[in-house]
């Protein structure tokens, strides 16, 4: 269902949560029921990004056991405190053997206590792995957009800038590099005026939906664990900002997610 200008509209198009950390402990004990409930809400695909080497094998096993789940593999800048050189060799091996849909979640973060030199080194190596495997990237950035864009100068396979929150100009800079923008719960907050105004203007073909569960809760649910069950609420918020009819918007978002991550199980 979608709420558009106060009216409920039935949608036949499936939805994809292009970024949810369903392997995190917050979902232990509720994961199976959550996936069944998500399917009832037409959330047909969920991409689970990897964040650190210690969890990759469990992540792969989780996604292999559920037809609606696909995975990406990567080293998130937030979790680099225990980084070791052999992690990159392991990533290369797993990518070759298991063929994830993307390399991610990777990027740069100026708000974490990890030396930027280390972040850049790890990012550059992962970009090379993505190039070799011809895979898209799932990007993370906080206060590092210019630096990240510079590192992507010669990357040809695009991907998604996860958790977009920023200006129209910043978003278009990533779109011009071949990336789509991950639209999540931030747009459900009226105070996020700049991001909401930007999202209203971007070309539809540049947008995909995500939750970033268990983090980034939607408005009025800040005390709750975020999950794919909130994807319809994010869609509703986006439909309120956009000019397209809801059915057209839903179809376009699904097609966009398949264009980036189409080699999945569904």
């Amino acid at each position: 269902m979608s709420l558009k200008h106060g009216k409920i509209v039935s949608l036949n198009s499936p939805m994809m949560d292009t970024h949810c950390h369903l392997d995190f402990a917050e979902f232990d004990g509720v994961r199976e029921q959550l996936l069944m409930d998500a399917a009832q809400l037409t959330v047909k695909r969920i991409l689970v990004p990897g964040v650190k080497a210690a969890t990759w094998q469990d992540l792969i096993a989780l996604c292999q056991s559920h037809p609606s789940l696909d995975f990406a593999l990567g080293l998130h800048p937030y979790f680099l405190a225990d980084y070791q050189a052999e992690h990159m060799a392991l990533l290369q091996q797993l990518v070759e053997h298991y063929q994830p849909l993307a390399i991610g979640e990777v990027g740069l973060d100026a708000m974490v206590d990890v030396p930027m030199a280390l972040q850049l080194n790890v990012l550059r190596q992962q970009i090379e792995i993505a190039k070799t495997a011809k895979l898209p990237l799932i990007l993370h950035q906080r206060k590092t957009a210019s630096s990240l864009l510079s590192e992507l100068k010669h990357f040809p396979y695009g991907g998604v800038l996860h958790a977009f929150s920023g200006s129209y100009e910043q978003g278009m800079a990533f779109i011009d590099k071949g990336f789509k923008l991950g639209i999540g719960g931030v747009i459900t907050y009226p105070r996020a005026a700049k991001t909401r105004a930007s999202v209203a203007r971007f070309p539809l073909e540049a947008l995909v939906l995500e939750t970033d569960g268990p983090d980034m809760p939607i408005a009025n649910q800040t005390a709750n664990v975020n999950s794919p069950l909130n994807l319809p609420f994010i869609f509703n918020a986006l439909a309120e900002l956009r000019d397209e009819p809801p059915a057209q918007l839903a179809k376009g978002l699904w097609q966009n997610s398949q264009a980036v991550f189409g080699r999945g199980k569904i």
Side-chain angles (χ1 to χ4, degrees), residues 14-261:
M15 292 189 289
M16 179 176 181
D17 186 343
T18 62
H19 197 113
C20 182
H21 298 284
L22 269 177
D23 58 323
F24 281 17
E26 286 89 337
F27 295 111
D28 291 351
V30 300
R31 196 174 285 111
E32 300 297 326
Q33 185 62 52
L34 188 154
L35 289 170
M36 289 189 288
D37 292 343
Q40 292 297 312
L41 295 172
T42 74
V43 181
K44 299 298 186 183
R45 291 186 68 191
I46 302 169
L47 183 60
V48 188
V51 296
K52 57 182 177 179
T55 61
W56 287 337
Q57 291 287 4
D58 288 343
L59 168 61
I60 292 168
L62 170 66
C63 292
Q64 287 181 331
S65 68
H66 293 86
S68 63
L69 301 184
D70 288 295
F71 64 92
L73 295 175
L75 293 161
H76 189 301
Y78 187 86
F79 297 99
L80 291 181
D82 61 351
Y83 173 72
Q84 300 176 31
E86 52 263 35
H87 293 167
M88 202 63 67
L90 175 61
L91 177 60
Q92 179 72 62
Q93 294 169 9
L94 294 178
V95 168
E96 292 173 357
H97 184 75
Y98 290 104
Q99 298 184 324
L101 294 193
I103 301 300
E105 179 178 354
V106 308
L108 300 172
D109 193 321
M111 308 297 288
V112 298
D113 189 20
V114 177
M116 189 55 64
L118 174 59
Q119 293 191 44
L120 283 166
N121 177 47
V122 171
L123 173 64
R124 288 166 180 167
Q125 292 185 73
Q126 292 183 102
I127 288 175
E128 290 306 311
I129 290 174
K131 282 183 179 179
T132 300
K134 298 182 179 179
L135 290 175
L137 293 167
I138 299 173
L139 299 175
H140 169 97
Q141 78 86 18
R142 284 197 301 174
K143 309 294 185 181
T144 55
S146 296
S147 298
L148 188 54
L149 284 164
S150 179
E151 296 299 323
L152 299 169
K153 192 173 298 182
H154 303 295
F155 185 73
Y157 299 111
V160 173
L161 175 65
H162 149 65
F164 173 76
S165 176
S167 69
Y168 176 78
E169 292 74 20
Q170 183 185 94
M172 287 304 302
F174 282 93
I175 292 170
D176 290 343
K177 292 284 188 184
F179 285 81
K180 300 190 187 303
L181 306 179
I183 307 302
V186 66
I187 66 167
T188 66
Y189 292 84
R191 67 175 181 267
K194 181 172 69 173
T195 298
R196 286 164 56 88
S198 300
V199 166
R201 297 175 59 196
F202 292 130
L204 172 56
E205 58 268 22
L207 306 179
V208 296
L209 293 178
E210 63 169 66
T211 60
D212 196 27
D215 299 318
M216 289 184 65
I218 64 173
N220 301 319
Q221 291 193 22
T222 55
N224 299 339
V225 171
N226 191 16
S227 82
L229 303 184
N230 285 327
L231 204 67
F233 293 101
I234 296 170
F235 175 83
N236 288 346
L238 182 60
E240 289 290 342
L241 296 172
R242 304 282 302 184
D243 291 330
E244 299 93 353
Q248 179 185 339
L249 179 62
K251 181 179 180 180
L253 293 166
W254 173 256
Q255 291 175 338
N256 296 344
S257 62
Q258 304 317 291
V260 185
F261 304 119

